[in-house]
Amino acid sequence: MRNEEILYERKRADMVKRQIESRGITDKRVLAAMAKVPRHKFVSEAMWDQAYSDYPLPIGEQQTISQPYIVAEMTQALELTKDDRVLELGTGSGYQASILAELVFKVYTIERIYALYVKARKLFDNLKYHNIVTKYSDGTYGWESEGPFDAIIVTAGAPSIPQVLLDQLAMHGRLVIPAGGKQSQELIKLYKDENGIHQTNLGGCRFVKLVGEYGW
Ligand code: SAH
């Protein structure tokens, strides 16, 4: 292994221990994925030394890659198993999708900004994430032809929870979405079963806007 890779592997182990395990994330598969995916590759080279810090970073086009802890918290909340098919809205850098790709059978991810979509697609190919399917469009419509999904994750803040996404959620499916105002939101988890939709609030958060038909 090259020296640089050893350095980043150490930084990742440290990130998992100090930022993620210490704040109560216990899902072993999630911790292993966070320790494995090379987060620095998802930001510009000028920011590689900050890639494992405890905050979000800019990824261009006025968008951001979430803080590592938020990625871990949302991923754990999805309660993923290896046969799951997951839909993500807001590909961004592709980091969250790559974490998901480590944990499930197939990831479907949608991005509305062309430059980010192209960049993430190339990165998935370079890193050999062959189980990630990408799409350039307004994700607030979901991806009906590929649904229903075992889990859906929205990585941009929505004004409310789009009904189409609930419709594309499989029985016993989980949806995690930041919903609320333009500046700050609540992280909401929804679970679908025979009795309907069950909602839990995971706490306050700050995401960039979900822009589109059922967004802002
Ligand atoms: N998950 C990303 C972080 C995304 S930031 C990562 O791991 O890096 C939020 C992203 O959602 C931005 O790239 C933004 O362009 C995208 N977005 C906003 N509204 C969208 C929509 N309606 N459909 C698809 N993507 C959207």
Side-chain angles (χ1 to χ4, degrees), residues 59 63-66 88-97 110-113 116 137-140 155-156 208-212:
I59 55 171
Q63 307 302 320
T64 54
I65 176 173
S66 301
E88 178 193 32
L89 309 196
T91 313
S93 68
Y95 177 66
Q96 173 74 69
I110 309 176
E111 174 55 55
R112 67 175 283 276
I113 296 176
L116 295 175
S137 81
D138 173 3
T140 65
T155 63
V208 296
K209 280 182 296 191
L210 181 73
V211 180

Side-chain angles (χ1 to χ4, degrees), residues 30 32 43 57 59 87 94 98 100 103 112 169 171 207 209:
V30 173
V43 298
L57 287 170
I59 55 171
L87 173 67
S98 302
L100 297 170
L103 300 170
R112 67 175 283 276
L169 200 58
M171 189 55 70
F207 279 81
K209 280 182 296 191

Side-chain angles (χ1 to χ4, degrees), residues 159-179:
S160 59
I161 296 152
Q163 180 61 42
V164 282
L165 299 184
L166 292 171
D167 295 343
Q168 291 176 31
L169 200 58
M171 189 55 70
H172 300 289
R174 293 81 56 198
L175 166 63
V176 174
I177 178 170

